[in-house]
Amino acid sequence: MPDVKIYTKTGDTGKTTLFGNDNKYSKSDSVFDLMGGIDEVNAGLGLLTYQVRALKQYWNKHTIYLLGLIIFCGFASCCISHIYTGKIDPSYLTPIVLMWFASIFVFEYSSCQSKKFTKIEDVLLMIQEKNVNLLSHISNPDRVRFIGGAEIVKIMEEEIDTITAILPKLTNFILVYKSKESAWCNVTRTIVRRVERELSRYCLEHKSLNTECLPYMNRMSDYLFTVARCIDNDQWSPPTNYYHAVSGRNGKSVKKNK
């Protein structure tokens, strides 16, 4: 494969071409706003994927550390018992048994956390790959099909349902801010919402686009909101309802100055 030059100078005049199309288009055309927005989404998802992978590695690493500590404490108890009594005192077995049960809990919890973030990472990577397909489809809908949109929408819906089932019931608008990962997830969600609006306007003018594009983009923002809630829920504190931010200490609404 020949080397691809980073700069071609063909767009220096403010015009460029689309994939599979030799016609020149102004870079101010709405199609480039839409494609640039999808590019922003993928950039945001890239950083989010990195952060989620770090969370997964955190739980993997700390599972090993905690299990090692528990095993060491059990071994130390046996050694202390043998040094002071010349035998393994049964009274020393009680803390060992308790630590053994604790190790099971720690391992199961950490393992569940690791599997959860592994699944989130896999879905985020899948979405990024699908966004590249969407970019190609928008640039040349007659030549490139948007494939598998309904399938990935179904995957996101199943993951939303699975994650929501283990989260507190959502009864109010909430603020998402308890970690840098959840906050960035929420930022990326707002970018997706903007791109969804741009895509909706573009679809009205270009009927050749696959009708699965809009449900795909809409469900993506739903999925990111759910992931943000999931990450915030791991901070061991209840969600912050939106009305708390606009209410006084006595719970009454604060009147805005006119």
Side-chain angles (χ1 to χ4, degrees):
M1 181 178 177
D3 292 337
V4 177
K5 288 182 68 67
I6 300 301
Y7 60 91
T8 61
K9 301 183 180 181
T10 57
D12 290 353
T13 59
K15 292 186 177 182
T16 188
T17 58
L18 293 170
F19 173 71
N21 191 335
D22 293 331
N23 296 328
K24 287 281 188 175
Y25 297 89
S26 171
K27 290 186 177 182
S28 62
D29 193 290
S30 59
V31 67
F32 297 112
D33 287 333
L34 176 57
M35 294 177 68
I38 297 173
D39 194 25
E40 285 183 60
V41 169
N42 256 16
L45 290 174
L47 177 56
L48 180 59
T49 303
Y50 170 82
Q51 294 174 332
V52 167
R53 184 181 296 122
L55 288 174
K56 178 188 70 175
Q57 292 171 346
Y58 167 87
W59 284 108
N60 286 338
K61 180 177 67 175
H62 282 72
T63 299
I64 297 173
Y65 285 167
L66 289 171
L67 286 178
L69 179 62
I70 290 169
I71 293 172
F72 171 77
C73 290
F75 178 74
S77 297
C78 292
C79 290
I80 293 173
S81 172
H82 183 73
I83 291 172
Y84 283 96
T85 64
K87 60 181 180 178
I88 303 298
D89 191 337
S91 64
Y92 282 82
L93 296 179
T94 300
I96 295 175
V97 172
L98 292 176
M99 286 187 289
W100 182 70
F101 279 110
S103 69
I104 295 177
F105 171 78
V106 169
F107 179 80
E108 287 297 324
Y109 180 78
S110 299
S111 178
C112 288
Q113 290 291 88
S114 178
K115 290 178 181 178
K116 177 178 69 177
F117 288 119
T118 297
K119 183 61 178 179
I120 292 174
E121 179 187 0
D122 291 342
V123 174
L124 291 175
L125 289 171
M126 191 184 309
I127 292 173
Q128 290 176 72
E129 292 177 356
K130 185 55 59 180
N131 283 346
V132 175
N133 176 214
L134 179 58
L135 281 170
S136 299
H137 175 63
I138 291 172
S139 64
N140 196 330
D142 295 327
R143 183 173 173 180
V144 182
R145 293 187 301 163
F146 182 61
I147 304 172
E151 287 78 3
I152 194 169
V153 165
K154 184 177 180 181
I155 291 173
M156 287 190 286
E157 288 176 344
E158 290 174 349
E159 287 304 303
I160 290 171
D161 293 339
T162 299
I163 296 174
T164 301
I166 62 175
L167 294 176
K169 186 176 180 181
L170 189 63
T171 57
N172 295 282
F173 291 107
I174 62 172
L175 301 178
V176 181
Y177 64 90
K178 295 181 180 178
S179 70
K180 62 179 181 296
E181 294 86 2
S182 64
W184 182 251
C185 189
N186 203 34
V187 170
T188 307
R189 178 192 65 82
T190 62
I191 299 174
V192 173
R193 283 297 195 196
R194 171 169 57 78
V195 173
E196 181 187 359
R197 295 190 294 270
E198 294 172 351
L199 179 61
S200 180
R201 286 191 293 268
Y202 193 78
C203 285
L204 293 175
E205 303 170 0
H206 301 79
K207 304 298 183 181
S208 58
L209 287 184
N210 192 316
T211 55
E212 295 178 359
C213 294
L214 283 172
Y216 165 72
M217 195 63 64
N218 189 15
R219 210 64 74 251
M220 191 194 308
S221 63
D222 296 333
Y223 176 72
L224 291 175
F225 174 71
T226 305
V227 170
R229 286 187 64 208
C230 175
I231 297 173
D232 256 7
N233 190 61
D234 289 336
Q235 304 305 309
W236 301 96
S237 61
T240 302
N241 293 330
Y242 176 74
Y243 66 81
H244 284 162
V246 294
S247 301
R249 292 184 179 180
N250 57 2
K252 296 181 180 179
S253 298
V254 177
K255 294 181 179 181
K256 296 182 179 179
N257 295 326
K258 297 183 178 180

